[in-house]
Amino acid sequence: MKFNIAVAQSGGPTAAINASLCGVFEGAQSFECIDRVYGSINGIEGIINNNLINLKQVITTAHDKDLLIKTPSTVLGSCRYKLANADENELDYVRIIDTFRRNNIKAFFYIGGNDSMDTVMKLDDYMKKNNIDIKVVGVPKTIDNDLPETDHTPGFGSAAKYVATSLQEIIRDSRVYSIPSITIVEIMGRDAGWLTASSCVLRANGEPAPHMIYLPEREFSVEKFLDDIRLAQQKYKAVVVAVSEGIDCSGGKTGVVDAFGHSYLSGVGKYLENIARERIGCKVRSIELNVMQRCGSHIASLTDLEEAERIGKEAVKTAVEYGLSGVMMTFKRISNNPYRVDIVPCDVRDCANKAKYFPVEWINDEGNNVTIDALNYFLPLIKGEPVIEYKNGIPVHFRLNQ
């Protein structure tokens, strides 16, 4: 007997999350037992409110799929909705099961990060406790690269490529004048410094900058930061520094939190700019890459897009062919050169609400840069360039509700 599946996207957007969506859609085509593939509007909220669309009615051609893979952000919309514990409030779970049964949905795929895996875990626990045969599988996504159990996450490689490319352009800009200067580039990463650390890939092309890299995994000292800059100024006229938004220094935290209790971070770069200007006295500017690093599809990593699509397909196979539930799909790296990864499921309970931090052994003794091991880890993830379709000089995106 045929049944349907549903897929949703959650958390912050990336350049590759739609590739995973397309992977789930394509993976379903391999199984005759799957009829419809429903897309949930705005993550789990769409399931709760029975706000679904039949993806076969909007992804109708090979061209649609190609555009969708290369379109950034969440085409279905996203959310940061935290499910209550079912023992405390069962209402959302009752509505979710009602939506699944009403639409004959036997498997649900949630594309997201740490907090989205919390939803996968809670739903799977509820299904098993109540003997409901609906599979729930997590598909990883985050530019922060901080999900445990997986070597890396879809979306990270493209964000890292955008960060490195932007930094290289900032470096070129910073060197045009004869006067000394300091440029501080603030890069996303709430708790983990993976994305900031990835700026080291510029070394592969002989670029000495960024001259310092500061990550939240090591204690940060403003005085040491200033001393590091003064030392770098002895060698470089234009000093460029990469700092994670999550480093612990005054002025970096807003005090505002999201539904999962995470702080909204901003202003670290500006804070350090003001201190450096006052204490060192040369030309200083700070640049916050902000949301641009999440959706830079014009400079996406082809490796990232291909892996994101592939892991979506494997998620469907894991649920439908292998009958697994309560798992998150993961990459297991086999080798760096040649670069090879396998895709295997892990227990979502090992990932939900947990973080994977940048290895401290990949940070230099001075705490202001990263080692060659980091470079070797990052380089394969940013390789390759997709062929982008343009119209009137602008990249073409796949959009619902044209």
Side-chain angles (χ1 to χ4, degrees):
M1 182 178 294
K2 287 199 170 188
F3 59 86
N4 304 320
I5 68 171
V7 58
Q9 301 167 303
S10 182
T14 79
I17 191 170
N18 287 328
S20 291
L21 173 66
C22 192
V24 172
F25 179 80
E26 290 180 312
Q29 313 310 307
S30 302
F31 293 93
E32 292 185 1
C33 58
I34 298 176
D35 185 12
R36 295 183 178 183
V37 181
Y38 285 112
S40 173
I41 302 301
N42 296 116
I44 195 65
E45 293 177 0
I47 303 293
I48 293 170
N49 299 314
N50 194 34
N51 188 8
L52 309 177
I53 61 171
N54 183 350
L55 291 180
K56 289 184 179 181
Q57 294 179 347
V58 294
I59 306 172
T60 59
T61 67
H63 181 249
D64 286 341
K65 287 190 286 189
D66 185 64
L67 276 186
L68 179 60
I69 289 169
K70 299 169 187 175
T71 295
S73 191
T74 53
V75 72
L76 295 174
S78 185
C79 72
R80 293 194 183 276
Y81 189 91
K82 184 178 178 66
L83 283 179
N85 293 324
D87 292 341
E88 300 171 0
N89 188 342
E90 201 176 3
L91 179 60
D92 282 343
Y93 298 86
V94 171
R95 296 175 69 180
I96 288 168
I97 300 305
D98 179 65
T99 295
F100 286 161
R101 286 175 170 162
R102 188 185 308 181
N103 296 284
N104 193 28
I105 292 167
K106 296 297 184 180
F108 173 55
F109 303 90
Y110 209 26
I111 309 171
N114 316 66
D115 299 330
S116 303
M117 296 310 124
D118 175 78
T119 299
V120 172
M121 177 181 67
K122 288 175 177 174
L123 281 179
D124 181 65
D125 286 343
Y126 187 83
M127 302 295 180
K128 289 173 178 173
K129 181 179 179 180
N130 293 278
N131 297 312
I132 300 170
D133 187 20
I134 297 175
K135 312 302 182 188
V136 186
V137 173
V139 181
K141 169 260 15 161
T142 175
I143 67 165
D144 292 339
N145 200 39
D146 61 350
L147 268 170
E149 301 301 317
T150 185
D151 176 79
H152 57 280
T153 52
F156 172 72
S158 293
K161 189 165 186 165
Y162 178 90
V163 165
T165 303
S166 299
L167 261 164
Q168 183 169 246
E169 292 166 347
I170 290 168
I171 292 163
R172 298 283 77 77
D173 180 276
S174 71
R175 296 185 52 144
V176 300
Y177 300 112
S178 60
I179 60 173
S181 68
I182 302 165
T183 304
I184 302 165
V185 183
E186 180 181 331
I187 299 166
M188 281 183 167
R190 180 194 297 119
D191 299 309
W194 292 97
L195 194 56
T196 305
S198 72
S199 61
C200 75
V201 298
L202 293 177
R203 294 185 203 165
N205 287 3
E207 191 73 66
H211 303 106
M212 278 85 71
I213 298 173
Y214 297 95
L215 311 177
E217 284 81 359
R218 285 288 292 268
E219 183 178 349
F220 182 82
S221 163
V222 171
E223 293 302 323
K224 174 73 163 52
F225 168 78
L226 295 172
D227 288 342
D228 289 345
I229 289 178
R230 294 186 184 104
L231 186 61
Q233 285 182 317
Q234 297 176 18
K235 187 174 181 180
Y236 303 104
K237 177 184 64 179
V239 175
V240 178
V241 183
V243 300
S244 171
E245 66 177 355
I247 61 172
D248 185 12
C249 69
S250 300
K253 292 182 171 58
T254 64
V256 181
V257 298
D258 64 15
F260 290 84
H262 303 310
S263 296
Y264 290 108
L265 306 179
S266 65
V268 166
K270 179 60 70 175
Y271 175 77
L272 294 175
E273 173 194 338
N274 292 332
I275 289 178
R277 181 180 294 110
E278 177 185 342
R279 300 281 294 277
I280 296 178
C282 66
K283 177 183 177 182
V284 186
R285 67 155 59 96
S286 63
I287 300 168
E288 184 181 345
L289 296 185
N290 209 297
V291 297
M292 287 84 75
Q293 59 209 293
R294 301 197 301 199
C295 290
S297 61
H298 60 289
I299 193 67
S301 158
L302 182 60
T303 296
D304 188 29
L305 297 184
E306 289 177 344
E307 288 186 341
E309 182 182 9
R310 182 180 158 203
I311 206 168
K313 291 179 181 178
E314 286 297 319
V316 178
K317 189 175 183 180
T318 296
V320 178
E321 183 172 328
Y322 303 143
L324 297 182
S325 183
V327 297
M328 184 188 82
M329 308 307 298
T330 70
F331 293 119
K332 298 298 180 184
R333 190 177 302 213
I334 300 169
S335 62
N336 282 335
N337 190 17
Y339 172 66
R340 290 175 57 219
V341 293
D342 277 344
I343 299 176
V344 297
C346 76
D347 192 326
V348 73
R349 291 150 194 84
D350 295 331
C351 312
N353 306 308
K354 298 178 182 178
K356 177 186 72 177
Y357 299 101
F358 186 80
V360 292
E361 61 270 24
W362 290 0
I363 303 175
N364 67 355
D365 292 339
E366 289 295 308
N368 61 10
N369 221 310
V370 299
T371 69
I372 189 67
D373 292 321
L375 178 63
N376 292 334
Y377 168 84
F378 290 128
L379 275 178
L381 306 181
I382 66 170
K383 294 292 180 67
E385 293 74 45
V387 177
I388 304 296
E389 179 181 343
Y390 285 80
K391 181 178 180 181
N392 296 319
I394 301 169
V396 179
H397 289 167
F398 182 94
R399 292 178 294 167
L400 297 178
N401 303 319
Q402 297 285 334

